[in-house]
Amino acid sequence: MSAELKTISIGMLGCGVVGSQVARLLQSDEQELSERSGALLVLKKIGVRSNAAREGINPSMITTDLNSIVNDPEINIVIEVMGGIEPARTLILEAIKNKKSVITANKALLATHGHELFNAADAAKVDLYYEAAVAGAIPIIRSMRESLAGDQITRVMGIVNGTTNYILTKMHEEGRAFNDVLKEAQSLGYAEADPTADIEGHDAAAKAALLASLAFHSTVTIDEVYCEGITGISIDDVNAAKAMGSVIKLLAIAELTVKDEISVRVHPVMLPNSHPLASVRNAFNAVYVESEAAGQLMFYGRGAGGAPTASAILGDLVAVTRHRAYSTVGYGESDYADLDIAPVGDVKSQFFVRLHVADKSGVLAAIAQVFASEKISIQTVRQAGLGSDAELVVVTHAATESSLKGCIKKLTDMDIVSKVESVIRVEGVVA
Amino acid sequence: MSAELKTISIGMLGCGVVGSQVARLLQSDEQELSERSGALLVLKKIGVRSNAAREGINPSMITTDLNSIVNDPEINIVIEVMGGIEPARTLILEAIKNKKSVITANKALLATHGHELFNAADAAKVDLYYEAAVAGAIPIIRSMRESLAGDQITRVMGIVNGTTNYILTKMHEEGRAFNDVLKEAQSLGYAEADPTADIEGHDAAAKAALLASLAFHSTVTIDEVYCEGITGISIDDVNAAKAMGSVIKLLAIAELTVKDEISVRVHPVMLPNSHPLASVRNAFNAVYVESEAAGQLMFYGRGAGGAPTASAILGDLVAVTRHRAYSTVGYGESDYADLDIAPVGDVKSQFFVRLHVADKSGVLAAIAQVFASEKISIQTVRQAGLGSDAELVVVTHAATESSLKGCIKKLTDMDIVSKVESVIRVEGVVA
């Protein structure tokens, strides 16, 4: 590269699985990155909790003084890959105050304090980019924010958590129980020792908040996301889905209701095999977007891992560097629409209800009557087993969460119903 | 919208299926577009061949004097949706010379004269954006150019022509012959009265050139793309693919060879059903990208049609408008790598060869010997039929096009071979 190139100095907060890949690629792809960004990108400092040696990284770069990075006047861009709310939030705010552009992969932080951080970036006229925060290497943030800026998004459904998709795939394809597959995933490193954030849907909920904010030009935070995980999904549910030509997936959903409110939620969903999301297997992620003019789009790829996440960060780095060269900034937060969040009870879905009943004459009629009493119409009923162990699988037409809950309460109280085994939402079916 | 907003005036060249949707959306989404672009976007003039009335469009906007648009000092941005090489090329050059940013959906023009046009835009410091030129509403251009700017793309494979994908899907799913499905597609408006550009692969070749240019930061033109269409695909080939657990698709492929050259080509391919592109049905498009850090990505959606294409154009319009507000430009052409095109004879693929042979003892040995003489190793052989009508299906390991051609020549000359029915490349198989 020629000597006339401007140098852009980078400080990085964190050097774990993702940070070490960012550092590696910054070195190995130095020339390409310069050609594409128009500047010489130099990693100057890396802030870590303990300054143990890291392979391939010059020890003189490493510091445990994180404040020295966000306050270094020579550093132009800060990459935050440390995770967690604090001290990440305070450090990013300090970096922005010091006119540094920031690139972060921190979904939990953005889904909680995003509005404060975006406002700060806007006031300081710097970029706050976060492609890596949702679905790893899949360019969903830029696509929704920029490519679809001339369209009206009506719905987003995403498989945005690799751990749970891996578990559900193995349950479906190998007929194994949840706990069995979870243990395997932990031993393979696909699931954390404490898997709560994944299997209870909290990780997906943070991403749902970010997707909803982008799709509907409103600020949506993680505590506004209705969230159910996959710990209640049994192998019987998976097999019942299979028998229906469907598959169970944990989806993050953000959609515009008929009242122009935002429904944003994470929960298991039965999807017909013909739906593009149904064939997304193992730890892969995918985001399905419906918009008025473009119609259906799907984005598929690796949602986690060091190198894929680093790819997203470096794409942002090239963009942010180009903006600095032109003294400009890219797309910031867009919250002009300021839509309300729909109460989850008002949201309509189709439901799958699996229950054990006494196999007596008139049972089906009695049960159908309960659904009718809540004005829920039934699409299909399937009976398996006989005698005291008969199983009914009911799929309803679209009904509100509230009326379904009322119905389940009544069913549970019936003598002929021994147990309501499961209630799972059904999506992607053409009615 | 407030009165303080700057007005950006738009001129449009062409008002067919796409242009009329652009005009419609500019009106119906005026407020959203203003919020997102920071300017009031006003469609001022539409240039057409004949100024017949168009529904929903103020007749005073319509003109047949196309030069009056590109020379109008009040027009800031020109949208070109007229298609064809001339006068589109001259009009776009004139618009750029007059400091107007240009948005075009014209793949044939860019795949032929792109370098000249991008150079002109670069010199005039204006944007030349073209998301709509490849795969309609799918944001593949922005994703490759911006999101993957920090990564090294190694391979792109795309289903980028809806007409041929529709025909191949119907042949596969309904067992119908090529001509039969083509006629149906014509009557449904999915195929043109003269379908040559689609079925011979020329449309896909223009897109392949654009994808290869972007992926490998080099200028690739349509005449450098090796191109084979689908007119030679018989229902017997489709059935043989089915029997192998595969499907035949017309793919645009751009990949980096081991010699760091670009192989760029359009031809039918046998893909295993497990490949993400295999389940892309009917007129849908999808582009599959492999890169060093991100791994495998896929982008799926509607590749044609008025509204989807207009969505891509309006996304570009918001971007270009924002750039004008900041007196900046976005990513231009990137051709620093300047890689050579690999001769198609040097490119390695696996091949499917279907031939009719006399069913005599020693036939298989004799045929295997011919493959061996060209140093092509065989992965599988399958024989169907008996007697004089025996059919052999051979799938080779990776071999160069040149050695395969030599092999086919020898096979054709053999007495025991009555006919070499077809030769189709095989991709996406894990060796």
Side-chain angles (χ1 to χ4, degrees):
Chain A
M1 295 303 305
S2 60
E4 75 219 45
L5 272 188
K6 193 176 166 185
T7 296
I8 292 284
S9 294
I10 299 157
M12 186 159 71
L13 301 169
C15 195
V17 174
V18 174
S20 56
Q21 289 297 316
V22 171
R24 179 181 70 81
L25 291 167
L26 275 171
Q27 288 172 22
S28 69
D29 297 350
E30 184 186 313
Q31 196 183 338
E32 286 86 356
L33 291 168
S34 297
E35 293 282 5
R36 298 175 194 175
S37 66
L40 194 62
L41 296 171
V42 175
L43 183 55
K44 194 183 170 205
K45 280 187 192 164
I46 302 177
V48 296
R49 259 155 252 195
S50 90
N51 53 5
R54 272 146 179 101
E55 204 190 311
I57 292 175
N58 186 336
S60 68
M61 271 188 213
I62 305 273
T63 175
T64 54
D65 180 3
L66 304 180
N67 281 301
S68 76
I69 293 179
V70 296
N71 289 306
D72 183 336
E74 284 181 12
I75 285 178
N76 311 103
I77 298 173
V78 170
I79 296 174
E80 187 269 306
V81 285
M82 61 191 298
I85 303 294
E86 288 292 357
R89 174 183 153 274
T90 303
L91 289 164
I92 290 177
L93 285 171
E94 190 72 12
I96 288 171
K97 206 185 73 186
N98 291 327
K99 304 283 180 196
K100 301 177 198 322
S101 291
V102 174
I103 296 161
T104 177
N106 196 331
K107 59 211 161 252
L109 176 61
L110 291 176
T112 314
H113 299 284
H115 192 61
E116 176 189 23
L117 296 169
F118 288 117
N119 271 348
D122 190 41
K125 296 191 169 52
V126 297
D127 282 321
L128 173 58
Y129 266 45
Y130 61 104
E131 183 65 78
V134 180
I138 304 174
I140 186 64
I141 302 296
R142 187 174 276 98
S143 293
M144 286 175 62
R145 188 159 63 167
E146 306 186 21
S147 303
L148 290 167
D151 206 337
Q152 311 303 330
I153 295 172
T154 51
R155 193 167 202 229
V156 183
M157 303 205 295
I159 294 172
V160 292
N161 181 272
T163 305
T164 47
N165 202 52
Y166 177 85
I167 293 172
L168 292 170
T169 303
K170 291 288 172 190
M171 289 175 75
H172 187 90
E173 295 183 359
E174 299 174 8
R176 291 159 61 198
F178 174 79
N179 280 321
D180 177 27
V181 181
L182 173 60
K183 268 181 208 144
E184 183 199 66
Q186 286 173 316
S187 72
L188 291 170
Y190 293 170
E192 309 270 346
D194 176 0
T196 313
D198 291 321
I199 63 178
E200 296 295 356
H202 306 154
D203 171 79
K207 294 163 182 171
L210 298 183
L211 292 173
S213 302
L214 270 178
F216 304 119
H217 300 270
S218 300
T219 301
V220 178
T221 59
I222 187 169
D223 50 285
E224 295 174 302
V225 180
Y226 170 80
C227 181
E228 255 177 62
I230 63 164
T231 53
I233 300 297
S234 71
I235 191 66
D236 292 337
D237 296 324
V238 169
N239 289 334
K242 248 188 197 174
M244 290 163 52
S246 293
V247 58
I248 300 179
K249 296 288 186 189
L250 181 70
L251 296 191
I253 301 178
E255 63 186 347
L256 206 59
T257 69
V258 285
K259 290 191 203 162
D260 268 351
E261 293 175 328
I262 300 170
S263 168
V264 56
R265 51 197 211 268
V266 169
H267 52 65
V269 161
M270 289 217 181
L271 276 180
N273 291 334
S274 59
H275 194 281
L277 286 171
S279 49
V280 176
R281 298 171 60 241
N282 296 326
F284 273 89
N285 282 17
V287 182
Y288 182 80
V289 178
E290 290 176 0
S291 70
E292 280 183 10
Q296 305 112 306
L297 295 168
M298 191 173 82
F299 304 80
Y300 167 94
R302 294 193 185 275
T309 309
S311 170
I313 288 172
L314 290 175
D316 279 355
L317 181 62
V318 170
V320 168
T321 301
R322 291 176 52 97
H323 297 162
R324 292 191 86 86
Y326 285 103
S327 303
T328 181
V329 289
Y331 293 65
E333 188 186 32
S334 172
D335 60 357
Y336 69 86
D338 198 20
L339 303 181
D340 291 329
I341 305 294
V344 72
D346 289 2
V347 174
K348 281 195 164 187
S349 302
Q350 287 187 263
F351 288 90
F352 158 100
V353 180
R354 188 166 64 84
L355 62 170
H356 278 102
V357 293
D359 181 23
K360 295 195 284 202
S361 68
V363 165
L364 188 55
I367 285 179
Q369 177 52 39
V370 171
F371 280 90
S373 72
E374 292 286 341
K375 302 199 167 33
I376 301 172
S377 81
I378 291 176
Q379 188 177 58
T380 59
V381 183
R382 195 170 58 82
Q383 179 167 349
L386 288 168
S388 61
D389 196 29
E391 183 177 275
L392 274 190
V393 171
V394 178
V395 176
T396 73
H397 281 290
T400 63
E401 175 103 10
S402 311
S403 53
L404 197 277
K405 276 207 172 138
C407 176
I408 297 300
K409 171 96 181 53
K410 287 183 189 170
L411 288 171
T412 310
D413 292 345
M414 289 171 86
D415 286 343
I416 51 167
V417 172
S418 51
K419 195 175 176 198
V420 176
E421 295 285 351
S422 48
V423 178
I424 302 175
R425 289 165 192 79
V426 177
E427 300 278 350
V429 177
V430 182
Chain B
M1 294 304 305
S2 60
E4 77 220 44
L5 272 187
K6 193 175 162 184
T7 295
I8 292 282
S9 294
I10 298 157
M12 187 158 71
L13 302 169
C15 196
V17 175
V18 174
S20 56
Q21 289 297 316
V22 171
R24 180 181 69 81
L25 291 166
L26 275 171
Q27 288 173 20
S28 68
D29 297 350
E30 183 185 315
Q31 196 183 337
E32 287 85 355
L33 290 168
S34 296
E35 293 283 4
R36 299 175 193 175
S37 65
L40 195 62
L41 297 170
V42 175
L43 183 55
K44 194 182 169 204
K45 280 187 193 166
I46 302 176
V48 296
R49 258 155 255 197
S50 89
N51 53 6
R54 275 150 177 95
E55 202 190 314
I57 292 175
N58 186 335
S60 68
M61 271 189 215
I62 304 272
T63 174
T64 54
D65 179 3
L66 304 180
N67 280 300
S68 76
I69 294 180
V70 297
N71 289 305
D72 183 335
E74 283 181 13
I75 285 179
N76 310 102
I77 297 174
V78 170
I79 296 173
E80 185 270 305
V81 285
M82 60 192 297
I85 304 294
E86 288 292 358
R89 174 181 155 275
T90 303
L91 289 164
I92 290 177
L93 285 171
E94 190 72 11
I96 289 172
K97 205 185 74 186
N98 291 329
K99 305 283 179 194
K100 301 177 198 322
S101 291
V102 174
I103 296 162
T104 175
N106 195 329
K107 58 210 163 254
L109 176 61
L110 291 176
T112 314
H113 299 284
H115 192 60
E116 176 189 25
L117 297 168
F118 288 118
N119 270 346
D122 190 42
K125 295 192 169 51
V126 297
D127 282 321
L128 173 58
Y129 266 44
Y130 62 104
E131 184 66 76
V134 180
I138 305 174
I140 187 64
I141 302 296
R142 187 173 275 98
S143 293
M144 286 176 64
R145 187 158 66 164
E146 305 186 20
S147 303
L148 289 167
D151 204 337
Q152 310 303 329
I153 295 172
T154 51
R155 195 168 201 225
V156 183
M157 302 205 296
I159 294 172
V160 292
N161 180 271
T163 305
T164 47
N165 203 51
Y166 177 86
I167 293 172
L168 291 170
T169 303
K170 290 289 173 189
M171 288 175 74
H172 187 90
E173 295 182 358
E174 299 173 10
R176 291 159 60 199
F178 173 81
N179 279 321
D180 176 27
V181 182
L182 173 60
K183 267 181 210 143
E184 182 199 68
Q186 287 172 316
S187 73
L188 291 170
Y190 293 170
E192 309 271 345
D194 175 0
T196 313
D198 292 321
I199 64 178
E200 296 294 356
H202 306 154
D203 171 78
K207 295 164 181 169
L210 299 183
L211 292 173
S213 302
L214 270 177
F216 304 119
H217 299 270
S218 301
T219 302
V220 178
T221 58
I222 188 170
D223 50 288
E224 295 174 303
V225 180
Y226 171 80
C227 181
E228 256 176 62
I230 63 163
T231 53
I233 301 296
S234 71
I235 192 67
D236 292 335
D237 296 325
V238 169
N239 288 334
K242 247 188 195 172
M244 289 163 52
S246 294
V247 57
I248 299 179
K249 295 289 187 188
L250 182 69
L251 296 190
I253 301 178
E255 64 187 345
L256 207 59
T257 69
V258 286
K259 291 190 203 166
D260 268 352
E261 293 175 327
I262 301 170
S263 169
V264 54
R265 49 196 212 269
V266 169
H267 52 66
V269 160
M270 288 216 181
L271 276 180
N273 290 336
S274 59
H275 194 283
L277 286 171
S279 49
V280 177
R281 297 170 62 241
N282 295 327
F284 274 90
N285 280 199
V287 182
Y288 182 79
V289 178
E290 291 176 1
S291 70
E292 281 183 9
Q296 304 113 304
L297 296 167
M298 191 171 83
F299 305 81
Y300 167 95
R302 294 194 185 275
T309 308
S311 170
I313 288 171
L314 290 175
D316 279 354
L317 181 62
V318 171
V320 168
T321 301
R322 290 176 52 96
H323 296 162
R324 292 191 86 86
Y326 285 103
S327 302
T328 181
V329 288
Y331 292 66
E333 187 186 33
S334 173
D335 59 356
Y336 68 87
D338 198 19
L339 303 181
D340 291 330
I341 304 295
V344 72
D346 290 2
V347 175
K348 282 194 163 186
S349 301
Q350 288 188 263
F351 287 91
F352 158 101
V353 181
R354 189 166 63 86
L355 62 173
H356 277 101
V357 294
D359 181 23
K360 294 194 287 201
S361 69
V363 164
L364 187 55
I367 284 177
Q369 178 52 39
V370 171
F371 280 90
S373 73
E374 292 286 342
K375 302 201 168 32
I376 301 172
S377 79
I378 291 175
Q379 187 177 61
T380 59
V381 182
R382 196 170 58 83
Q383 180 168 348
L386 288 167
S388 60
D389 196 28
E391 183 177 274
L392 274 190
V393 171
V394 178
V395 176
T396 73
H397 282 290
T400 63
E401 174 104 10
S402 310
S403 54
L404 198 276
K405 276 208 171 138
C407 176
I408 298 299
K409 171 96 179 55
K410 287 182 189 170
L411 288 170
T412 311
D413 291 346
M414 290 171 86
D415 285 344
I416 52 169
V417 172
S418 52
K419 193 172 176 199
V420 176
E421 295 284 352
S422 48
V423 177
I424 301 175
R425 288 164 193 79
V426 177
E427 301 277 351
V429 177
V430 181

